[in-house]
Amino acid sequence: MSDPSATINAQLYAGVVITLMFYRRGDSRHRSWISRLAWLITVTYSAVLLAYLCGIYPYSSWATIAANIIFLSVLAAVKGNVARLVNQLRH
């Protein structure tokens, strides 16, 4: 757990998980496939975060960190709304 790249990446993963966990859809309509996609992203990112906390994720590449920075910033820009994220990617 002493590698700084793994620590930075774990913090980015935690940011993604927290952003998705605290999203509230308000008056938007429910789309089940978007909910499943958000759940899948949350579980995947949580698994890596848990692996880091258990000590079985010893290092990370800087390319992965750059990709996670981009993903977290885009997710923050749409305020955790996976439907808007997918819609932006489609157009």
Side-chain angles (χ1 to χ4, degrees):
M1 286 169 90
S2 62
D3 186 31
S5 65
T7 304
I8 293 168
N9 205 26
Q11 291 171 346
L12 292 169
Y13 276 95
V16 169
V17 170
I18 289 170
T19 302
L20 289 173
M21 284 177 56
F22 287 106
Y23 170 71
R24 297 287 176 243
R25 72 181 163 92
D27 293 334
S28 306
R29 67 186 178 111
H30 177 77
R31 289 188 268 179
S32 61
W33 72 275
I34 292 290
S35 297
R36 289 185 190 115
L37 178 61
W39 177 84
L40 182 65
I41 294 169
T42 303
V43 168
T44 304
Y45 273 70
S46 296
V48 174
L49 184 58
L50 185 61
Y52 172 77
L53 293 174
C54 292
I56 54 177
Y57 189 74
Y59 65 93
S60 180
S61 70
W62 292 105
T64 304
I65 291 171
N68 284 328
I69 288 172
I70 292 169
F71 184 66
L72 181 58
S73 61
V74 168
L75 191 63
V78 295
K79 299 177 184 163
N81 189 341
V82 176
R84 280 185 42 203
L85 176 67
V86 170
N87 192 27
Q88 292 294 329
L89 291 175
R90 289 175 58 189
H91 292 98

